[in-house]
Amino acid sequence: AQSVTQLGSHVSVSEGALVLLRCNYSSSVPPYLFWYVQYPNQGLQLLLKYTTGATLVKGINGFEAEFKKSETSFHLTKPSAHMSDAAEYFCAVAMEYGNKLVFGAGTILRVKS
Amino acid sequence: ETGVTQTPRHLVMGMTNKKSLKCEQHLGHNAMYWYKQSAKKPLELMFVYSLEERVENNSVPSRFSPECPNSSHLFLHLHTLQPEDSALYLCASSLGLAGADTQYFGPGTRLTVL
């Protein structure tokens, strides 16, 4: 069965610093990969996704992620953190059909002023 | 209304009550989902519907009963729940069931079972 590991349940960065949220998946077949963000008392919003093609994917709010097949990773980055980035971030994978998203446990990002 | 809406946003119920959660999508999608989000646990897929047919029931207890009368509406009927069922229930929709199809989420219903 698919699994997703997000390293670090809490990450704290200073405003303006690099954001790096880690995601590794278990699959022998490259899956489809997603990053979602959840603000307090809200649903999940898609940040970006990888399906095929270019392995560096750009998303909303200045975030990007790189699919590395050899490392089975899909880490999320943002060059400069903003206070409004404070939220919980979820990495998820899906296989070819059935659209069963398997989520990681989530990483809460705190941005310090 | 745009996107995926859910009502009510908050619900408190006793273990003997019967209540229903409603989800509506305004995206023209064909697939709809129910997820359960509990504290300190990954999101759990509960049910998947495609073109109003249930295609996935992820070992969910029978006290949760889904209904999909058309491709725009999804309900979750609740009865004789347990306190451990308290959670955020999220609805989502996607164009189809292809793995690349993005799921769009509603804001959720925060359920508290007393």
Side-chain angles (χ1 to χ4, degrees), chain A residues 39-86:
Chain A
Y39 298 100
N41 300 315
Q42 294 188 29
L44 277 68
Q45 179 184 6
L46 180 72
L47 275 177
L48 49 81
K49 70 177 184 181
Y50 170 79
T51 53
T52 59
T55 56
L56 182 63
V57 181
K58 295 187 183 299
I60 62 171
N61 302 337
F63 284 93
E64 61 182 37
E66 186 172 10
F67 169 56
K68 292 187 176 181
K69 181 180 175 182
S70 61
E71 298 177 7
T72 60
S73 70
F74 191 56
H75 302 331
L76 182 71
T77 60
K78 181 174 180 177
S80 176
H82 191 272
M83 296 297 289
S84 60
D85 295 326

Side-chain angles (χ1 to χ4, degrees), chain A residues 32 34 36 38 41-44 46 49 51 90 94-101 103-104, chain B residues 9 33 35 37 42-43 45 56 88 90 94 96-103 105-107:
Chain A
Y32 300 109
F34 304 79
Y36 284 87
Q38 186 177 32
N41 300 315
Q42 294 188 29
L44 277 68
L46 180 72
K49 70 177 184 181
T51 53
F90 294 91
M95 297 310 293
E96 182 66 38
Y97 191 76
N99 210 353
K100 298 179 191 179
L101 275 179
F103 285 88
Chain B
R9 292 294 310 276
Y33 311 77
Y35 286 88
Q37 186 177 27
L43 275 83
L45 178 64
E56 181 78 22
L88 182 68
L90 292 164
S94 64
L97 292 181
D101 289 343
T102 299
Q103 292 185 28
F105 286 80

Side-chain angles (χ1 to χ4, degrees), chain A residues 2-40:
Chain A
Q2 285 278 350
S3 67
V4 178
T5 301
Q6 291 184 239
L7 189 62
S9 59
H10 292 77
V11 170
S12 183
V13 301
S14 297
E15 192 172 19
L18 171 72
V19 175
L20 170 61
L21 304 182
R22 300 178 188 274
C23 173
N24 289 88
Y25 63 91
S26 66
S27 174
S28 58
V29 177
Y32 300 109
L33 297 156
F34 304 79
W35 274 101
Y36 284 87
V37 61
Q38 186 177 32
Y39 298 100

